[in-house]
Coordinates of all heavy atoms in Angstrom, one line a residue:
M1 N 18.0 -4.2 3.4 CA 18.7 -4.0 2.1 C 17.7 -3.8 1.0 O 18.0 -2.9 0.1 CB 19.6 -5.2 1.8 CG 20.5 -5.1 0.6 SD 21.7 -3.7 0.7 CE 22.9 -4.5 1.6
R2 N 16.6 -4.5 1.0 CA 15.6 -4.3 -0.1 C 15.1 -2.8 -0.1 O 15.0 -2.2 -1.1 CB 14.4 -5.2 0.2 CG 13.2 -4.9 -0.7 CD 12.0 -5.6 -0.2 NE 11.6 -5.1 1.1 CZ 10.4 -4.7 1.4 NH1 9.5 -4.7 0.5 NH2 10.2 -4.2 2.6
N3 N 14.8 -2.3 1.1 CA 14.3 -0.9 1.2 C 15.4 0.1 0.7 O 15.1 1.1 0.0 CB 13.9 -0.5 2.6 CG 12.6 -1.2 3.0 OD1 11.8 -1.6 2.1 ND2 12.5 -1.4 4.3
Q4 N 16.7 -0.2 0.9 CA 17.7 0.6 0.4 C 17.8 0.6 -1.1 O 17.9 1.6 -1.7 CB 19.1 0.2 1.0 CG 20.2 1.0 0.6 CD 21.6 0.6 1.3 OE1 21.6 -0.5 1.9 NE2 22.6 1.3 1.1
Q5 N 17.7 -0.6 -1.7 CA 17.7 -0.7 -3.1 C 16.5 0.0 -3.7 O 16.7 0.7 -4.7 CB 17.5 -2.2 -3.5 CG 18.7 -3.1 -3.3 CD 19.7 -2.8 -4.4 OE1 20.8 -3.1 -4.2 NE2 19.5 -2.3 -5.6
A6 N 15.3 -0.2 -3.2 CA 14.1 0.5 -3.7 C 14.3 2.0 -3.5 O 13.9 2.7 -4.4 CB 12.9 0.0 -2.9
G7 N 14.9 2.5 -2.4 CA 15.1 3.9 -2.2 C 16.0 4.5 -3.3 O 15.8 5.6 -3.7
I8 N 17.0 3.8 -3.7 CA 18.0 4.3 -4.7 C 17.3 4.4 -6.0 O 17.4 5.5 -6.7 CB 19.2 3.3 -4.8 CG1 20.0 3.3 -3.5 CG2 20.0 3.6 -6.1 CD1 21.1 2.2 -3.5
V9 N 16.5 3.4 -6.4 CA 15.8 3.5 -7.7 C 14.7 4.6 -7.6 O 14.5 5.4 -8.6 CB 15.2 2.2 -8.1 CG1 14.3 2.3 -9.3 CG2 16.3 1.1 -8.3
T10 N 14.0 4.7 -6.5 CA 13.0 5.7 -6.3 C 13.6 7.1 -6.4 O 13.1 8.0 -7.1 CB 12.3 5.6 -5.0 OG1 11.7 4.3 -4.9 CG2 11.2 6.7 -4.8
A11 N 14.8 7.3 -5.8 CA 15.4 8.6 -5.9 C 15.8 8.9 -7.3 O 15.7 10.1 -7.8 CB 16.7 8.6 -5.0
K12 N 16.2 7.9 -8.1 CA 16.6 8.2 -9.5 C 15.4 8.5 -10.3 O 15.4 9.3 -11.3 CB 17.3 6.9 -10.1 CG 18.7 6.8 -9.5 CD 19.4 5.6 -10.2 CE 20.8 5.5 -9.7 NZ 21.6 4.5 -10.4
I13 N 14.2 7.9 -10.0 CA 13.0 8.3 -10.7 C 12.6 9.7 -10.4 O 12.3 10.5 -11.3 CB 11.8 7.3 -10.3 CG1 12.1 5.9 -10.9 CG2 10.5 7.8 -10.9 CD1 11.2 4.8 -10.3
K14 N 12.6 10.1 -9.1 CA 12.3 11.4 -8.7 C 13.2 12.5 -9.3 O 12.8 13.6 -9.7 CB 12.3 11.6 -7.2 CG 11.2 10.9 -6.5 CD 11.3 11.1 -5.0 CE 10.1 10.5 -4.2 NZ 10.3 10.8 -2.8
A15 N 14.5 12.1 -9.5 CA 15.5 13.1 -10.0 C 15.4 13.1 -11.5 O 16.0 14.0 -12.1 CB 16.9 12.6 -9.6
G16 N 14.6 12.3 -12.1 CA 14.5 12.3 -13.6 C 15.5 11.5 -14.3 O 15.6 11.5 -15.5
E17 N 16.4 10.7 -13.6 CA 17.4 9.9 -14.2 C 16.7 8.7 -14.9 O 17.2 8.2 -15.9 CB 18.3 9.3 -13.2 CG 19.2 10.4 -12.6 CD 20.2 9.8 -11.6 OE1 20.9 8.8 -11.9 OE2 20.4 10.4 -10.5
Y18 N 15.6 8.2 -14.4 CA 14.7 7.3 -15.1 C 13.5 8.0 -15.5 O 12.8 8.6 -14.7 CB 14.4 6.1 -14.2 CG 15.5 5.1 -13.9 CD1 15.9 4.8 -12.6 CD2 16.2 4.5 -15.0 CE1 16.9 3.9 -12.3 CE2 17.2 3.6 -14.7 CZ 17.6 3.3 -13.4 OH 18.6 2.4 -13.1
K19 N 13.2 8.0 -16.8 CA 12.0 8.6 -17.3 C 10.8 7.7 -17.4 O 10.9 6.5 -17.5 CB 12.3 9.2 -18.7 CG 13.5 10.0 -18.8 CD 13.3 11.4 -18.2 CE 14.5 12.3 -18.5 NZ 14.6 13.3 -17.5
P20 N 9.6 8.2 -17.4 CA 8.4 7.4 -17.6 C 8.5 6.5 -18.8 O 9.0 7.0 -19.8 CB 7.2 8.4 -17.7 CG 7.7 9.6 -17.0 CD 9.2 9.6 -17.2
R21 N 8.1 5.3 -18.7 CA 8.1 4.3 -19.7 C 9.5 3.8 -20.1 O 9.7 2.9 -20.9 CB 7.4 4.8 -21.0 CG 6.0 5.2 -20.7 CD 5.3 5.7 -21.9 NE 4.7 4.6 -22.6 CZ 4.2 4.6 -23.8 NH1 4.2 5.8 -24.5 NH2 3.6 3.6 -24.3
Q22 N 10.6 4.2 -19.4 CA 11.9 3.8 -19.6 C 12.1 2.5 -18.9 O 11.7 2.3 -17.8 CB 12.9 4.8 -19.0 CG 14.4 4.4 -19.2 CD 15.3 5.4 -18.7 OE1 15.0 6.5 -18.4 NE2 16.6 5.0 -18.6
V23 N 12.8 1.6 -19.5 CA 13.1 0.3 -18.9 C 14.3 0.5 -17.9 O 15.2 1.2 -18.2 CB 13.5 -0.8 -20.0 CG1 14.8 -0.5 -20.7 CG2 13.5 -2.2 -19.4
L24 N 14.1 -0.2 -16.7 CA 15.1 0.0 -15.7 C 16.3 -1.0 -16.0 O 16.1 -2.0 -16.8 CB 14.5 -0.4 -14.3 CG 13.4 0.6 -13.9 CD1 12.9 0.1 -12.5 CD2 14.0 2.0 -13.8
T25 N 17.4 -0.8 -15.3 CA 18.5 -1.7 -15.4 C 18.1 -3.1 -15.0 O 17.4 -3.3 -14.1 CB 19.6 -1.2 -14.5 OG1 19.9 0.2 -14.8 CG2 20.9 -2.0 -14.6
P26 N 18.5 -4.1 -15.8 CA 18.1 -5.5 -15.5 C 18.6 -5.9 -14.1 O 19.6 -5.4 -13.6 CB 18.9 -6.3 -16.5 CG 19.2 -5.4 -17.7 CD 19.3 -4.0 -17.0
E27 N 17.8 -6.8 -13.5 CA 18.1 -7.2 -12.1 C 19.5 -7.8 -12.0 O 20.1 -7.5 -11.0 CB 17.0 -8.2 -11.7 CG 15.7 -7.7 -11.4 CD 14.6 -8.7 -11.0 OE1 15.0 -9.8 -10.6 OE2 13.4 -8.3 -10.9
T28 N 19.9 -8.5 -12.9 CA 21.3 -9.1 -12.8 C 22.3 -8.1 -12.8 O 23.3 -8.2 -12.1 CB 21.5 -10.1 -14.0 OG1 21.3 -9.4 -15.2 CG2 20.7 -11.4 -13.9
R29 N 22.2 -7.0 -13.5 CA 23.2 -5.9 -13.5 C 23.1 -5.2 -12.2 O 24.1 -4.8 -11.6 CB 23.0 -5.0 -14.7 CG 24.1 -4.0 -14.7 CD 24.1 -3.1 -15.9 NE 24.2 -3.9 -17.2 CZ 23.7 -3.5 -18.3 NH1 23.1 -2.3 -18.4 NH2 23.8 -4.2 -19.4
L30 N 21.9 -4.9 -11.7 CA 21.8 -4.3 -10.3 C 22.4 -5.1 -9.3 O 23.0 -4.6 -8.3 CB 20.3 -4.0 -10.0 CG 19.6 -2.9 -10.9 CD1 18.1 -2.9 -10.6 CD2 20.2 -1.6 -10.6
Q31 N 22.2 -6.4 -9.4 CA 22.8 -7.4 -8.4 C 24.3 -7.2 -8.4 O 24.9 -7.0 -7.3 CB 22.5 -8.8 -8.8 CG 23.2 -9.8 -8.0 CD 23.0 -11.2 -8.6 OE1 22.3 -11.4 -9.5 NE2 23.7 -12.2 -8.0
Q32 N 25.0 -7.1 -9.5 CA 26.4 -6.9 -9.6 C 26.8 -5.5 -9.2 O 27.8 -5.4 -8.4 CB 26.9 -7.2 -11.0 CG 26.7 -8.6 -11.5 CD 26.9 -8.8 -13.0 OE1 27.0 -7.8 -13.7 NE2 26.9 -10.0 -13.5
E33 N 26.1 -4.5 -9.6 CA 26.4 -3.2 -9.3 C 26.4 -2.9 -7.7 O 27.3 -2.2 -7.2 CB 25.4 -2.2 -10.0 CG 25.7 -0.8 -9.8 CD 24.8 0.1 -10.6 OE1 24.3 -0.3 -11.7 OE2 24.5 1.2 -10.1
Y34 N 25.4 -3.5 -7.0 CA 25.3 -3.2 -5.6 C 25.8 -4.3 -4.7 O 25.8 -4.2 -3.5 CB 23.8 -2.9 -5.3 CG 23.4 -1.6 -5.9 CD1 22.5 -1.7 -7.0 CD2 23.8 -0.4 -5.5 CE1 22.1 -0.5 -7.6 CE2 23.4 0.8 -6.1 CZ 22.5 0.7 -7.2 OH 22.1 1.9 -7.8
G35 N 26.3 -5.4 -5.3 CA 26.8 -6.5 -4.6 C 25.9 -7.2 -3.6 O 26.2 -7.5 -2.5
V36 N 24.6 -7.4 -4.1 CA 23.6 -8.0 -3.3 C 23.1 -9.2 -4.1 O 23.3 -9.4 -5.3 CB 22.4 -7.0 -3.0 CG1 22.9 -5.9 -2.1 CG2 21.8 -6.5 -4.2
S37 N 22.3 -10.0 -3.4 CA 21.7 -11.2 -4.0 C 20.6 -10.8 -5.0 O 20.0 -9.8 -4.9 CB 21.1 -12.2 -3.0 OG 19.9 -11.7 -2.5
R38 N 20.4 -11.7 -6.0 CA 19.3 -11.5 -7.0 C 18.0 -11.4 -6.3 O 17.1 -10.6 -6.7 CB 19.3 -12.5 -8.1 CG 18.4 -12.2 -9.2 CD 18.7 -12.9 -10.5 NE 17.9 -12.4 -11.5 CZ 16.9 -13.1 -12.1 NH1 16.7 -14.3 -11.7 NH2 16.2 -12.5 -13.1
G39 N 17.8 -12.2 -5.2 CA 16.6 -12.2 -4.5 C 16.3 -10.8 -3.9 O 15.2 -10.4 -3.9
T40 N 17.3 -10.2 -3.4 CA 17.2 -8.9 -2.8 C 16.7 -7.9 -3.8 O 15.8 -7.1 -3.6 CB 18.5 -8.4 -2.1 OG1 18.8 -9.3 -1.1 CG2 18.4 -7.0 -1.6
V41 N 17.4 -7.9 -5.0 CA 17.0 -7.0 -6.1 C 15.6 -7.3 -6.5 O 14.8 -6.4 -6.7 CB 18.0 -7.1 -7.2 CG1 17.5 -6.3 -8.4 CG2 19.4 -6.7 -6.8
H42 N 15.3 -8.5 -6.6 CA 13.9 -8.9 -7.1 C 12.8 -8.4 -6.1 O 11.8 -7.9 -6.5 CB 13.8 -10.4 -7.3 CG 12.5 -10.9 -7.8 ND1 12.1 -10.8 -9.1 CD2 11.4 -11.5 -7.2 CE1 10.9 -11.2 -9.3 NE2 10.5 -11.7 -8.1
R43 N 13.1 -8.6 -4.8 CA 12.1 -8.1 -3.8 C 12.0 -6.6 -3.9 O 10.9 -6.0 -3.7 CB 12.5 -8.6 -2.4 CG 12.2 -10.0 -2.2 CD 12.5 -10.5 -0.8 NE 13.9 -10.3 -0.4 CZ 14.8 -11.2 -0.6 NH1 14.5 -12.4 -1.2 NH2 16.0 -11.1 -0.1
A44 N 13.1 -5.9 -4.1 CA 13.1 -4.4 -4.2 C 12.3 -4.0 -5.4 O 11.5 -3.1 -5.3 CB 14.5 -3.9 -4.3
M45 N 12.5 -4.7 -6.6 CA 11.7 -4.3 -7.8 C 10.2 -4.6 -7.5 O 9.4 -3.9 -8.0 CB 12.2 -5.1 -9.0 CG 13.6 -4.7 -9.4 SD 13.5 -3.0 -10.0 CE 15.1 -2.5 -9.6
R46 N 9.9 -5.7 -6.9 CA 8.5 -6.0 -6.6 C 7.9 -5.0 -5.7 O 6.8 -4.5 -5.9 CB 8.4 -7.4 -6.0 CG 6.9 -7.9 -5.8 CD 6.8 -9.3 -5.3 NE 7.4 -9.4 -4.0 CZ 8.2 -10.5 -3.6 NH1 8.4 -11.5 -4.5 NH2 8.7 -10.5 -2.4
H47 N 8.7 -4.5 -4.7 CA 8.2 -3.5 -3.8 C 7.9 -2.2 -4.6 O 6.9 -1.5 -4.3 CB 9.3 -3.2 -2.7 CG 8.9 -2.1 -1.8 ND1 8.0 -2.3 -0.8 CD2 9.4 -0.9 -1.6 CE1 7.9 -1.1 -0.1 NE2 8.7 -0.3 -0.6
L48 N 8.8 -1.8 -5.5 CA 8.6 -0.6 -6.3 C 7.3 -0.7 -7.1 O 6.5 0.2 -7.2 CB 9.7 -0.4 -7.3 CG 11.0 0.1 -6.6 CD1 12.2 0.0 -7.6 CD2 10.9 1.5 -6.0
G49 N 7.0 -1.9 -7.6 CA 5.8 -2.2 -8.4 C 4.5 -2.0 -7.5 O 3.5 -1.4 -7.9
E50 N 4.6 -2.6 -6.3 CA 3.5 -2.5 -5.3 C 3.2 -1.1 -4.9 O 2.1 -0.7 -4.6 CB 3.8 -3.3 -4.1 CG 3.8 -4.8 -4.3 CD 4.4 -5.6 -3.2 OE1 4.9 -5.0 -2.2 OE2 4.4 -6.9 -3.3
Q51 N 4.3 -0.2 -4.9 CA 4.1 1.2 -4.6 C 3.7 2.0 -5.8 O 3.4 3.2 -5.6 CB 5.4 1.7 -4.0 CG 5.8 1.1 -2.7 CD 4.8 1.4 -1.6 OE1 4.4 2.5 -1.4 NE2 4.3 0.4 -0.9
G52 N 3.6 1.4 -6.9 CA 3.2 2.2 -8.1 C 4.3 2.9 -8.9 O 4.0 3.5 -9.9
W53 N 5.5 2.7 -8.5 CA 6.7 3.3 -9.2 C 7.0 2.7 -10.5 O 7.4 3.3 -11.5 CB 7.9 3.3 -8.3 CG 7.8 4.2 -7.1 CD1 7.6 3.7 -5.8 CD2 8.0 5.6 -7.0 NE1 7.5 4.8 -5.0 CE2 7.8 6.0 -5.7 CE3 8.2 6.6 -8.0 CZ2 7.9 7.3 -5.2 CZ3 8.3 7.9 -7.5 CH2 8.1 8.2 -6.2
T54 N 6.8 1.4 -10.6 CA 7.2 0.6 -11.8 C 6.1 -0.4 -12.2 O 5.2 -0.7 -11.4 CB 8.5 -0.2 -11.5 OG1 8.2 -1.1 -10.5 CG2 9.7 0.7 -11.2
V55 N 6.3 -0.8 -13.4 CA 5.4 -1.9 -14.0 C 6.3 -2.9 -14.6 O 7.2 -2.5 -15.4 CB 4.5 -1.3 -15.1 CG1 3.7 -2.4 -15.7 CG2 3.5 -0.3 -14.5
T56 N 6.1 -4.2 -14.3 CA 7.0 -5.2 -14.9 C 6.2 -6.0 -15.9 O 5.0 -6.4 -15.7 CB 7.5 -6.2 -13.8 OG1 8.2 -5.5 -12.8 CG2 8.3 -7.3 -14.3
V57 N 6.8 -6.2 -17.1 CA 6.2 -6.9 -18.2 C 7.1 -8.1 -18.4 O 8.3 -8.0 -18.8 CB 6.1 -6.1 -19.5 CG1 5.5 -6.9 -20.6 CG2 5.4 -4.8 -19.2
Q58 N 6.6 -9.3 -18.1 CA 7.4 -10.5 -18.2 C 8.0 -10.7 -19.6 O 7.3 -10.5 -20.6 CB 6.5 -11.7 -17.9 CG 7.3 -13.0 -17.7 CD 6.5 -14.2 -17.2 OE1 5.3 -14.1 -17.0 NE2 7.1 -15.3 -17.1
G59 N 9.3 -10.9 -19.6 CA 10.0 -11.1 -20.8 C 10.5 -9.8 -21.5 O 11.2 -9.8 -22.4
R60 N 10.0 -8.7 -20.9 CA 10.4 -7.4 -21.5 C 11.2 -6.5 -20.5 O 12.0 -5.7 -20.9 CB 9.2 -6.6 -22.0 CG 8.5 -7.4 -23.1 CD 7.7 -6.6 -24.0 NE 8.4 -5.5 -24.6 CZ 7.8 -4.3 -24.9 NH1 6.6 -4.1 -24.6 NH2 8.5 -3.4 -25.4
G61 N 10.9 -6.6 -19.2 CA 11.6 -5.8 -18.2 C 10.7 -5.1 -17.3 O 9.5 -5.2 -17.3
T62 N 11.3 -4.2 -16.5 CA 10.6 -3.4 -15.5 C 10.7 -2.0 -16.0 O 11.8 -1.5 -16.3 CB 11.2 -3.6 -14.1 OG1 11.1 -4.9 -13.7 CG2 10.5 -2.7 -13.1
F63 N 9.6 -1.3 -16.1 CA 9.5 0.0 -16.7 C 9.0 1.0 -15.6 O 8.3 0.7 -14.7 CB 8.5 0.1 -17.8 CG 8.9 -0.8 -19.0 CD1 8.6 -2.1 -18.9 CD2 9.6 -0.3 -20.1 CE1 9.0 -3.0 -20.0 CE2 9.9 -1.1 -21.1 CZ 9.6 -2.5 -21.1
V64 N 9.5 2.3 -15.7 CA 9.0 3.3 -14.8 C 7.6 3.6 -15.2 O 7.2 3.7 -16.4 CB 9.8 4.6 -15.0 CG1 9.2 5.7 -14.1 CG2 11.3 4.4 -14.6
N65 N 6.7 3.6 -14.2 CA 5.3 3.9 -14.4 C 5.1 5.3 -14.9 O 5.9 6.2 -14.5 CB 4.5 3.6 -13.1 CG 3.1 3.3 -13.4 OD1 2.6 3.3 -14.5 ND2 2.3 3.1 -12.3
E66 N 4.1 5.5 -15.7 CA 3.8 6.9 -16.2 C 3.2 7.7 -15.1 O 2.3 7.3 -14.3 CB 2.9 6.9 -17.4 CG 3.5 6.3 -18.6 CD 2.7 6.5 -19.8 OE1 2.4 7.6 -20.2 OE2 2.3 5.4 -20.4
R67 N 3.7 9.0 -14.9 CA 3.1 9.9 -14.0 C 3.6 11.3 -14.4 O 4.8 11.4 -14.9 CB 3.7 9.6 -12.6 CG 3.1 10.5 -11.5 CD 3.6 10.2 -10.2 NE 3.2 11.1 -9.2 CZ 2.2 11.0 -8.3 NH1 1.5 9.8 -8.4 NH2 1.9 11.9 -7.5
E68 N 2.8 12.3 -14.3 CA 3.2 13.6 -14.7 C 4.4 14.2 -14.0 O 5.3 14.8 -14.5 CB 2.0 14.6 -14.6 CG 0.9 14.3 -15.6 CD -0.2 15.2 -15.6 OE1 0.0 16.4 -15.1 OE2 -1.3 14.9 -16.0
D69 N 4.4 14.0 -12.6 CA 5.5 14.6 -11.8 C 5.9 13.7 -10.7 O 5.3 13.8 -9.6 CB 5.0 16.0 -11.3 CG 6.1 16.7 -10.5 OD1 7.3 16.3 -10.6 OD2 5.8 17.6 -9.8
W70 N 6.9 12.9 -10.9 CA 7.4 12.0 -9.9 C 8.2 12.8 -8.9 O 8.3 12.3 -7.8 CB 8.3 10.9 -10.5 CG 7.5 9.8 -11.1 CD1 7.6 9.4 -12.4 CD2 6.6 8.9 -10.5 NE1 6.8 8.3 -12.6 CE2 6.2 7.9 -11.4 CE3 6.1 8.7 -9.2 CZ2 5.3 6.9 -11.1 CZ3 5.3 7.7 -8.9 CH2 4.9 6.8 -9.9
S71 N 8.7 13.9 -9.2 CA 9.6 14.6 -8.3 C 9.0 15.0 -7.0 O 9.6 15.0 -6.0 CB 10.2 15.8 -9.0 OG 9.2 16.7 -9.3
A72 N 7.7 15.2 -7.0 CA 7.0 15.6 -5.8 C 6.3 14.4 -5.1 O 5.7 14.6 -4.1 CB 5.9 16.7 -6.1
A73 N 6.4 13.3 -5.7 CA 5.6 12.1 -5.2 C 6.3 11.5 -4.0 O 7.5 11.4 -3.9 CB 5.5 11.1 -6.3
G74 N 5.5 11.0 -3.1 CA 6.0 10.3 -1.9 C 5.8 8.8 -2.2 O 6.7 8.0 -2.3
T75 N 4.5 8.5 -2.4 CA 4.1 7.2 -2.9 C 3.0 7.4 -3.9 O 2.5 8.5 -4.0 CB 3.5 6.3 -1.7 OG1 2.4 7.0 -1.1 CG2 4.6 6.0 -0.7
R76 N 2.7 6.4 -4.6 CA 1.6 6.5 -5.7 C 0.3 6.9 -5.0 O -0.1 6.4 -4.0 CB 1.5 5.2 -6.4 CG 0.5 5.4 -7.6 CD 0.5 4.1 -8.3 NE -0.5 4.3 -9.4 CZ -1.1 3.3 -10.0 NH1 -0.8 2.0 -9.7 NH2 -1.9 3.5 -11.0
Q77 N -0.4 7.9 -5.6 CA -1.7 8.3 -5.2 C -2.7 7.7 -6.1 O -2.5 7.5 -7.3 CB -1.8 9.8 -5.1 CG -0.8 10.4 -4.2 CD -0.8 12.0 -4.2 OE1 -1.5 12.5 -5.0 NE2 0.1 12.6 -3.4
A78 N -3.9 7.5 -5.6 CA -5.0 7.0 -6.4 C -5.4 8.0 -7.4 O -5.3 9.2 -7.2 CB -6.2 6.7 -5.5
D79 N -5.7 7.6 -8.6 CA -6.1 8.5 -9.7 C -7.4 9.0 -9.6 O -8.3 8.5 -9.0 CB -6.0 7.7 -11.1 CG -4.6 7.3 -11.4 OD1 -3.6 8.0 -10.9 OD2 -4.4 6.3 -12.1

């Protein structure tokens, strides 16, 4: 389920629905929207951060990481 959640958010980033530096939907809202536990959403968000798609700032939220062209990205590449 975590991979499915992460895949949905990744697809939205690639499609441009989430822009660089944009804050993502809060975990509690994603939990309600997809009918999964908060732990599942949290693990998915952590996975996205580990892959370089997002950056989490405690107390502010999770943001789309900056990148020139996410549409062609598979996973984050070294700079």
